[in-house]
Amino acid sequence: MPRPATGETPRRGPFRIEDSVWKPAVERATGDGLTMTDVVKAHLALYGRELPEGAPEADPWTVINFVVQHTGLQLRPGLDLDAAADACAEFLRALGVRATVDEAGKSS
């Protein structure tokens, strides 16, 4: 059920979004050559976990290996690498990158 209008937040189509959020988003979209419709669609796709066709792909295990090799991260007993791969896959999705499944089927 929609909340009652207070008249305090400007309407942006069917949404009420304050200027402090809207204006910087419009400026960035314009600078990136996008419409606000493009931006909203892309973010709704991420929110719904459906990435747009043609989204870049990455294997979360490859990302984890890269991080371990280049940060000096110490692997230790009890470290849940499967949970780390799941977190990495979620992070990749948030970046708009499709997380692929490796041969062992470990990633999502």
Side-chain angles (χ1 to χ4, degrees):
M1 172 176 244
R3 65 183 179 93
T6 63
E8 295 176 14
T9 307
R11 289 188 61 102
R12 314 289 188 195
F15 308 105
R16 295 188 183 280
I17 303 171
E18 47 282 319
D19 286 342
S20 63
V21 173
W22 184 258
K23 287 181 179 181
V26 169
E27 288 175 16
R28 180 174 174 189
T30 301
D32 291 345
L34 301 171
T35 66
M36 288 308 290
T37 297
D38 297 331
V39 172
V40 170
K41 281 182 179 180
H43 285 277
L44 287 175
L46 285 176
Y47 185 78
R49 300 199 190 270
E50 294 179 22
L51 294 176
E53 284 199 32
E57 296 182 347
D59 180 354
W61 286 103
T62 301
V63 175
I64 289 171
N65 287 331
F66 177 83
V67 169
V68 168
Q69 290 172 0
H70 295 284
T71 64
L73 177 70
Q74 298 293 313
L75 300 179
R76 63 189 187 291
L79 182 62
D80 186 347
L81 289 176
D82 287 332
D86 290 342
C88 184
E90 185 68 24
F91 179 67
L92 290 171
R93 281 191 290 274
L95 293 174
V97 176
R98 187 178 315 281
T100 61
V101 178
D102 68 1
E103 308 80 54
K106 295 273 188 181
S107 313
S108 56

